[in-house]
Amino acid sequence: MGQQGPILSVEHVSKEFYGNVVLNDVCFELKAGEILGLVGENGAGKTTLMRILFGMPVIAETGGYKGRICLDGQEVRFSSPFDALDSGIGMVHQEFSLIPGFTTTENIVLNRESMRPSILNDVFGDRMSVLDRPDMRKRAEAAIAKLGVKLDPDLLISEMPVGHKQFTEIAREITRTKTRILVLDEPTAVLTESEAEVLLAALRNIAKLGIAIIFISHRLREVVDVADRVVVLRDGLAIKDLPVAGVSVRDIASWMVGRTVAADAVAGGEGREFGDELLKVEGLWVDMPGETVRDVSFSVRKGEILGFGGLAGQGKLGIPNGIMGLYPAGGSVGLRGKGVPLDSPRAALEAGMAFVSEDRRGVGLLLDESLDWNIAFTAMQVQGAYLRPILGGLFKIRDEAGMRKLTEEYVGALDIKCTSPKQKAKELSGGNQQKICLAKAFAVKPDLLFVSEPTRGIDVGAKKLVLDTLHRYNREYGTTIVMVSSELEELRAICDRIAIVDEGRIAGILPPTAELPEFGLLMSGLAARNAREAVNA
Amino acid sequence: MSGKKSLGRFLTENAVVILFLLITIAAIPSSGLSIQYILQEMITRLGRNTFLVLALILPIYAGMGLNFGMTLGAMSGQLGLILAINFNVGGVEGLAFAALLGTPVSVLMGYICGSVLNKAKGREMVTGYMLAFFINGIYQLVILYMMGAIFPIRSPAILLSRGYGIRNTLNLEGVRQSLDNLLMLRLGGYALPLATFIVIAVLCAFVIWFKKTKLGQDMRAVGHDMTVAESAGVPVDRTRIIAIIISTVLACYGQIIFLQNMGNMATYNAHDQTSFFAVAAILVGGASVKKASIPNVFIGVILLHVLFVVTPRAGQNLFGSAMIGEYFRQFIGYGVIALSLVLYAWRARKDALRAREGLRRASIAAAPEGAAK
Ligand SMILES: Nc1ncnc2c1ncn2[C@@H]1O[C@H](COP(=O)(O)OP(=O)(O)OP(=O)(O)O)[C@@H](O)[C@H]1O
Ligand SMILES: [Mg+2]
């Protein structure tokens, strides 16, 4: 459909936040039914560009933008997202804007419910019409069918897995009859790989209906798979804009960071010597929905990095969540031979364990507070660090200088893009907020650090920094690390041993140097099944 | 284990109802009252109070908590009744007349109340309570000084002897129990005010129907999550104001029904405890700040009033003083509200914990895109 003109053109758009230039003269065009992949490092300005396009009030509040945005050749300047919606731009937000106590159907048709007029209409207007629930359901089902996914129209949002929420949001956007452009900002960051596959297929279906899509992701593989064209943002400049055909993941990655990205260099497991046994877990079960742990026993020695891998939903995420007391759990956990209660996050923290959750939102940041506060917060709460006694110990005040130094250290180590340690957490880009979460856990200087999915939502370049930092902490401070990740490569890069979790149990533990097929065998559950058959035979 | 858990949950969720049931059952024998007497009292009091308590449902539905501002509606109803007496309209026509005059006033009051509450999102209950005090002042001013002085009053019988201002106690002779007696059903020694119950049934039907309308759905959405509703284009503030207006108008009618049953009216403070007892009743019935249903209303009215009927007698029989029962009644009213609110806060915290776990399960997530709101 190359012959018609673009439905959207972004012309010379620039944006600065109080002197900090975030977008600089960005131009690109979008045609009907086209999927555009928008990539760039953390803080490159992707989200900001989409907020401009969608008329988000933050943009106007921070001084507006320069340049033009045209729909069908007409310049538009939205003052609110409602204007954008009216012009046919739909946006799927990162934080779901769904009502948890409503069903899928109710959310999909939210405020666009089907109605039957009632007698009170004449007096009190449309809002006294009665909802036509069967028709609402029919429309919701039609939207779900368009996506080509399976969703229960009557399930409450609060009871569905995250992937389904994502689909519900998308379904809602495409039921708007006007929607011509759909913006998705890191929609797959919260999805498992198989869910992401389904989503990509759904996007292709939507594009076939003539809706143009802007797709933002740090998983470059997906961009290459699904997009027709890719735009690369670097430091606010659109440095590349070209068809995806013939472009490789490696190419995109090097455009993004401005240098060639080396294959992961840190090598794990060089047959190191470790100290005494630090953590001993026996018969652990964890009731974490979707990630049930049934019976897991393992031990970690001091100074070791132990990895947990495995397919999504098999229970690897449940292990740290259970040990840290975030979900109901049972079994025995001993740290240095002393038992740790399983139902108290605070006791776990005080025992010397820290946790970077895979869910940065729930355990989250204090978004309205400054970065140094955020980083030092847990250390201050749990250990009383960064507090200075004054008046002979009568009061304690915050050690501002210490906090500043700490923050600067991590800003450097993790390459956090910010203007100063006093910047508010909410002003950082998504990926940089995650780096703050990591820094926060490091700052506690724990004996044992659990990290769950440490590189989700973090760009290709910074991934290595995060892994390097974990590695360096382990070597320099002797921090013992238990890392859970769905990316095997990442585990192999820094772990000394890798346990593969399958059906809530450890299927086997391998050295990082083991061959890929061996990992594959454990993950597929084949090993377990073979063993079972051997027993049965 | 999970059986024990769900039993525990059932108990905490219905703690107030269960507590009341126990107290009531314990107090009935020592009151020495016959079951028949208690039943008749219940029928009368259900007719008298239910309408008022039903007025609380919609604001709860819209996430605005217990509408202490319903007192404004009660005042409007009283104003209507005063005028009905003034113009000497009696019987059911008198009630209709009072309701007719009360409606525009209570719509205006509801609008004011709703607009104020919109400025105090999250603190609706205490704001409504304070607003009721403020409007009470205006009400007193109008009734005490302006009536007869500025607004001409035709019937000197209702004026204070100084020539302006309404008397402290008004005899509602003309309209006394006119609704109740319209269709009084006598059944095996019981008197059942059928017309009143029909009015209540119609209101229940309206509430049920209303929840199925677009406006009802919008209220629900606003009650669940204002930000999401707003971003979906639901006119949040307007919807909240409508919820309060409906509640205020219903309170106006409710007060009229209440007073016609009582037969006289303490002009200056009949409304003082309207919201207070209505709120206590709905809470006793097992409603919370966030959730209320029609059964909550009926259970609450019955339990609270059985207690009100039996405690003075029980107090007299046990301690030789009916006053103890009177104190007890006040104590219960306040106690119930405090207890339910505390229990609610406690339960909300537990639910939040549970919800957070739900969130954790749900999102294997990236950080929020900070300022996206
Ligand atoms: N409200 C704000 N005030 C000040 N600076 C902001 C604000 N919002 C974003 N920024 C800055 O703008 C830059 C670009 O942020 P943006 O969120 O667009 O990045 P991004 O490309 O989406 O990154 P990520 O991949 O991490 O999500 C960041 O450096 C961020 O600090
Ligand atoms: Mg972003």
Side-chain angles (χ1 to χ4, degrees), chain A residues 10-45:
Chain A
V10 170
E11 295 170 9
H12 308 286
V13 167
S14 301
K15 165 77 193 159
E16 56 181 69
F17 288 106
Y18 319 111
N20 173 19
V21 177
V22 172
L23 291 171
N24 192 350
D25 204 27
V26 172
C27 306
F28 66 84
E29 290 182 339
L30 190 61
K31 294 197 197 72
E34 188 177 36
I35 304 183
L36 176 81
L38 184 60
V39 298
E41 282 184 291
N42 295 132

Side-chain angles (χ1 to χ4, degrees), chain A residues 100-393:
Chain A
F102 274 27
T103 63
T104 318
T105 301
E106 287 174 318
N107 271 291
I108 290 179
V109 298
L110 186 61
N111 203 28
R112 281 168 298 119
E113 291 92 351
S114 321
M115 298 184 271
R116 272 178 286 124
S118 78
I119 35 165
L120 290 185
N121 275 28
D122 297 334
V123 193
F124 293 108
D126 274 354
R127 291 179 91 193
M128 292 312 287
S129 308
V130 180
L131 299 187
D132 184 353
R133 292 205 173 252
D135 190 58
M136 283 161 60
R137 202 188 138 108
K138 227 185 292 156
R139 282 168 53 207
E141 277 168 349
I144 295 169
K146 260 191 214 167
L147 285 178
V149 296
K150 277 207 177 62
L151 282 183
D152 179 353
D154 300 320
L155 196 65
L156 288 186
I157 295 293
S158 55
E159 286 167 7
M160 59 171 63
V162 69
H164 291 190
K165 293 187 191 178
Q166 187 75 266
F167 289 126
T168 308
E169 285 238 7
I170 298 175
R172 179 166 78 200
E173 293 313 314
I174 62 172
T175 47
R176 280 181 223 284
T177 40
K178 284 188 203 142
T179 302
R180 295 182 298 162
I181 302 171
L182 189 61
V183 176
L184 299 110
D185 192 351
E186 296 193 45
T188 54
V190 292
L191 301 186
T192 63
E193 253 159 62
S194 48
E195 285 172 332
E197 278 303 315
V198 181
L199 176 77
L200 296 190
L203 292 186
R204 285 189 204 103
N205 286 341
I206 301 171
K208 277 201 207 101
L209 303 174
I211 296 176
I213 296 175
I214 301 180
F215 175 72
I216 300 177
S217 175
H218 286 294
R219 296 190 188 163
L220 302 181
R221 174 88 266 145
E222 297 170 350
V223 175
V224 171
D225 277 355
V226 78
D228 301 313
R229 219 148 46 81
V230 61
V231 169
V232 181
L233 280 185
R234 184 165 82 216
D235 298 331
L237 290 164
I239 56 156
K240 288 277 175 191
D241 179 351
L242 73 180
V244 162
V247 172
S248 74
V249 169
R250 178 71 52 94
D251 294 336
I252 299 181
S254 49
W255 293 328
M256 274 170 59
V257 295
R259 56 192 148 80
T260 18
V261 180
D264 287 337
V266 257
E270 57 265 16
R272 301 189 292 146
E273 294 287 313
F274 304 113
D276 298 336
E277 182 179 87
L278 181 69
L279 176 77
K280 186 166 182 64
V281 174
E282 271 181 338
L284 178 75
W285 59 262
V286 182
D287 184 14
M288 174 169 173
E291 287 281 342
T292 315
V293 179
R294 293 173 204 283
D295 183 5
V296 161
S297 304
F298 62 92
S299 74
V300 191
R301 305 178 81 91
K302 189 157 178 32
E304 193 181 15
I305 305 184
L306 174 66
F308 279 101
L311 297 181
Q314 299 297 324
K316 61 178 187 304
L317 292 176
I319 296 173
N321 278 295
I323 297 178
M324 292 303 287
L326 298 177
Y327 284 96
S332 84
V333 173
L335 191 70
R336 284 187 229 87
K338 266 211 303 231
V340 180
L342 275 175
D343 51 2
S344 157
R346 180 153 188 120
L349 281 170
E350 278 167 356
M353 303 194 281
F355 180 33
V356 182
S357 163
E358 68 285 346
D359 172 17
R360 274 76 166 180
R361 248 184 306 196
V363 192
L365 297 173
L366 310 166
L367 285 175
D368 275 315
E369 296 295 341
S370 60
L371 301 184
D372 53 358
W373 238 112
N374 270 292
I375 294 182
F377 184 73
T378 315
M380 203 183 285
Q381 289 291 307
V382 179
Q383 305 165 337
Y386 306 105
L387 289 174
R388 238 170 351 114
I390 56 160
L391 297 180

